[in-house]
Amino acid sequence: MGAVTVLIVDAANVVGSVPDGWWRDRRGAAERLRGLLAERDEGEEIILVVEGAARGVESVPRVRVDPAPGSGDDRIVELAGQYAERGCVVVTADRELRARVGAFGVECVGPRTVRPAP
């Protein structure tokens, strides 16, 4: 992935990439993902975009949680536009979202980049 300035993580998509019962506790699943991200030692700024039931997840050192006021995808596109010149990568497997942020020249990587399969 190289030297990334900002890593924007699609929480719903990354959490949903592993069938571990996340659907029973969406907020708890987002908090576990936030914990994994906080352990990263890549030197990037991390923004975790949450929506729906996960909106109450709090930021922690190294991970800024950004609660989408509406669609998480729309918020990710907005952030990608803001940070494109500074350098950012979006973490998602959502093809439509990848195309939308790609319009800004933003690189996308899959969920396994930040959440390896169990």
Side-chain angles (χ1 to χ4, degrees):
M1 202 160 51
V4 174
T5 303
V6 180
L7 189 69
I8 302 170
V9 181
D10 179 352
N13 188 268
V14 173
V15 163
S17 71
V18 178
D20 62 358
W22 60 264
W23 52 91
R24 291 187 293 268
D25 181 12
R26 294 170 193 262
R27 182 176 174 157
E31 288 171 341
R32 288 188 297 279
L33 174 59
R34 180 197 59 197
L36 283 174
L37 293 170
E39 293 174 4
R40 288 176 60 89
D41 192 21
E42 303 293 324
E44 75 265 289
E45 178 182 342
I46 302 170
I47 303 171
L48 179 64
V49 178
V50 298
E51 61 187 332
R55 276 196 190 103
V57 173
E58 300 287 330
S59 295
V60 297
R62 301 227 352 93
V63 181
R64 183 180 104 204
V65 177
D66 190 314
S71 159
D73 288 2
D74 289 347
R75 181 62 181 147
I76 291 166
V77 171
E78 183 180 335
L79 289 168
Q82 273 181 260
Y83 291 103
E85 286 185 27
R86 195 170 137 192
C88 72
V89 170
V90 171
V91 181
T92 188
D94 182 315
R95 288 183 186 159
E96 182 181 331
L97 180 56
R98 284 175 171 248
R100 291 176 67 192
V101 300
F104 297 109
V106 170
E107 179 186 357
C108 290
V109 296
R112 298 235 170 131
T113 305
V114 297
R115 184 176 184 199

